[in-house]
Amino acid sequence: MIRRPPRSTPLYSSAASDVYKRQENGYLIHWYNLNEDNDAEYLEWLHGEYIPRRLNDPRILWACHFKSLDNVTHPGEKGRLSHDNKSIPAGDRYILIFGAKKPEIFANPTVTEYHQSLSEKDLMYLKMKREERYNIMTEEARGPGSEKKPIDGAGLSECIQLGNFNSGSYEDEDELASWYTTWRIPSMKKLPGCQGVRKLVSVSGWAKHAILYEWSSPEARNSTFVDHEMENPKMEEWTDRVVRKLVHAPGSPNLARRIWPIIE
C-alpha cells in the first residue's frame, strides 16, 4: 500500500517553493529492487523519514519516488535494445530521484558518507534494498512537451520514462548528441501528454547518459510515443541506427509511475 505524505511532510526543500523557478542541474538517481515481504515497511520509512530528512538540506530541491511498470512496449523492432545484464546490479523496479542546484551537492557528502551518519535503525532499512546502483548526473539539454506540468509541488510529473545507457563507442557520441538535439527532444513538444524531456550526462556511475521523459500518465505515453516516428521514415531510420548502438542498464528504459509524493 502506498501511503500519502502527511501534511507536515515537505514535498520539496524550502529553497524550492516555486516549481517553475527552480534551477535544478544536479540529479541523484537510485535504481533498486525490494522483496515483497518487507516492501511496505521499507516504503513507509523511506517516504516518512528518509526523504524528509534529505530535504532538510536546502541545496536539495525536491525528491520523487517511482515504481516501474511491467510489460512496457517500446518503439521499434522487438529486440533492438541491448543491455548489460552481467557487470552491474540489476535493480530497476524502484527509482528514487533527487534534484539539486548542482551535481556536486551529491558528492559533499557522498551517498556513502551520508549513510554512514545514519542510525542503526536507518541502516537496517537501507539493507532491505536489493541490486542497487546509482548515478550522479547533470543536465545536457532540456525541451518542453506539448503541455505544462501541474504546479503541484512535485519535482517531476506523475509518470516518467527513464533510459540510462552508454554509447557503443566514443566515436558514436557526436551523432548521439546531434540526434537528441535536432530530432528527439524537439519531437516531444508535438506529443499529447508529454510534459517535458531532459537529457542527462553522468558525473558518477555506470551510465554515461540518461534520458528523462515526463508524461501526464502511462496511458498518454503509450498512445502517442510508441508510434510517433512512423510518419517520418527518414527520421525513424536515423533513430533505429542510433538506438541499436546503445548499451542500456538492466530494465532500461523504464516506464514508471510516481508513488511519492502523491498529490491529491
Side-chain angles (χ1 to χ4, degrees):
M1 180 179 68
I2 305 303
R3 296 180 180 272
R4 288 168 170 76
R7 293 187 181 274
S8 59
T9 300
L11 305 184
Y12 45 80
S13 163
S14 60
S17 58
D18 187 329
V19 69
Y20 287 106
K21 292 183 179 179
R22 290 201 301 266
Q23 296 295 320
E24 72 268 18
N25 196 30
Y27 300 82
L28 174 61
I29 308 174
H30 298 259
W31 295 263
Y32 63 96
N33 294 336
L34 293 171
N35 292 330
E36 292 185 1
D37 59 351
N38 57 21
D39 58 354
E41 182 182 2
Y42 170 84
L43 293 173
E44 183 173 5
W45 167 82
L46 182 79
H47 299 161
E49 298 186 39
Y50 182 87
I51 292 176
R53 284 204 298 266
R54 277 298 239 167
L55 293 177
N56 284 334
D57 185 337
R59 303 173 302 166
I60 300 178
L61 301 177
W62 50 260
C64 287
H65 193 211
F66 296 86
K67 186 172 184 179
S68 296
L69 302 177
D70 298 320
N71 303 315
V72 176
T73 299
H74 294 291
E77 183 182 21
K78 186 176 181 180
R80 78 171 178 176
L81 298 178
S82 298
H83 295 84
D84 183 342
N85 293 312
K86 296 182 179 180
S87 67
I88 57 174
D92 78 315
R93 295 296 84 198
Y94 292 89
I95 304 172
L96 175 61
I97 306 177
F98 293 96
K101 296 176 182 178
K102 299 178 181 180
E104 64 197 57
I105 288 165
F106 298 116
N108 182 23
T110 65
V111 171
T112 298
E113 289 169 341
Y114 178 74
H115 288 170
Q116 287 173 343
S117 72
L118 300 180
S119 68
E120 289 296 324
K121 174 189 172 184
D122 294 327
L123 296 177
M124 176 193 73
Y125 283 109
L126 289 174
K127 290 178 181 178
M128 293 181 181
K129 291 187 288 185
R130 296 288 180 264
E131 301 180 282
E132 181 185 21
R133 67 181 185 280
Y134 61 85
N135 264 79
I136 300 171
M137 308 197 92
T138 191
E139 213 166 286
E140 173 188 343
R142 179 186 292 217
S146 66
E147 61 184 56
K148 292 183 178 180
K149 289 189 302 182
I151 305 177
D152 58 8
L156 295 171
S157 298
E158 290 189 17
C159 173
I160 62 169
Q161 179 176 306
L162 178 61
N164 61 116
F165 52 87
N166 291 315
S167 62
S169 165
Y170 76 91
E171 296 173 330
D172 300 324
E173 297 278 346
D174 282 355
E175 183 182 26
L176 178 63
S178 176
W179 177 73
Y180 272 117
T181 300
T182 63
W183 173 241
R184 174 50 65 87
I185 291 175
S187 296
M188 294 302 102
K189 63 184 177 183
K190 302 176 183 179
L191 298 189
C194 184
Q195 298 180 339
V197 57
R198 311 177 193 201
K199 173 63 175 63
L200 310 179
V201 289
S202 183
V203 174
S204 173
W206 177 84
K208 181 176 180 180
H209 301 278
I211 184 70
L212 174 62
Y213 303 92
E214 297 183 77
W215 299 94
S216 59
S217 69
E219 294 75 20
R221 179 265 185 196
N222 292 338
S223 67
T224 61
F225 182 71
V226 175
D227 297 323
H228 76 277
E229 291 181 319
M230 290 185 67
E231 295 181 357
N232 192 329
K234 183 178 179 180
M235 287 303 181
E236 188 175 29
E237 181 182 349
W238 190 19
T239 296
D240 189 72
R241 184 173 71 249
V242 169
V243 169
R244 286 184 183 276
K245 297 176 183 179
L246 307 179
V247 180
H248 282 259
S252 171
N254 293 94
L255 184 65
R257 191 187 298 272
R258 197 179 70 212
I259 60 173
W260 195 98
I262 300 267
I263 309 295
E264 296 181 324

